[in-house]
Amino acid sequence: MTKFSNPGTMPMPASNYVQMVETTGPGRRLIISGQIGVAANGEVSQGYEAQAEQAWRNALAGLEAAGMGLSDIIAIRVYDVAPGNVAAYRQIRDRMLQGHAPASTYVIVAGLASPDFLTEIEVEAFAVD
C-alpha cells in the first residue's frame, strides 16, 4: 500500500507534489535511471522544454515496460542546468503526471553527462502485487 501525504507539521509543497510517501506490504520497487532528452533512436531534443518532455516520455516508457502506471510513481528527482526553467518544468511535469503528485526533488546542477543535456529526470515507483 502507498500513502501520499502532506502532514500539517511540515510546510505545504510549493507546487504539485507531496512531502511524504510511505509504502508498506509486499510489492515491487522500480527505480528508473536518470532520463535525458534523447529519443530511443539517439536523437537529442533541442531546447529545454523539448528535452524535458522527451525525458518524461522515456521515464514513462520505463514505467510501462515494468507494468506500472502513473499512480505507482512515488518519487521523482530532477536535475536541471539552468535555474530559470522551474516554471516550465512544473508545467511539463503536471501535464505528464495528469494530476498525480508524488514526492519531488528539483536540483540545479553545474552540468550533466554532456553539455548538450539540459535536464535529467529519475523516477521511483512502487506497485503492490
Side-chain angles (χ1 to χ4, degrees), residues 17-107:
Y17 65 91
V18 295
Q19 294 289 23
M20 294 177 28
V21 178
E22 180 181 1
T23 58
T24 58
R28 295 180 298 128
R29 180 179 180 210
L30 173 67
I31 299 172
I32 299 174
S33 293
Q35 296 299 301
I36 53 179
V38 177
N41 67 3
E43 183 179 332
V44 179
S45 300
Q46 297 302 306
Y48 178 79
E49 290 185 23
Q51 284 196 18
E53 288 178 7
Q54 182 62 55
W56 269 110
R57 284 193 295 273
N58 295 342
L60 297 179
L63 194 68
E64 183 178 349
M68 294 185 179
L70 292 176
S71 64
D72 296 318
I73 296 174
I74 60 172
I76 52 179
R77 286 169 283 284
V78 178
Y79 307 94
D80 273 0
V81 297
N85 294 322
V86 68
Y89 166 73
R90 285 176 176 168
Q91 288 180 344
I92 293 164
R93 175 204 61 198
D94 291 351
R95 182 169 29 86
M96 293 293 190
L97 292 181
Q98 301 173 22
H100 179 58
S104 180
T105 299
Y106 182 92
V107 181

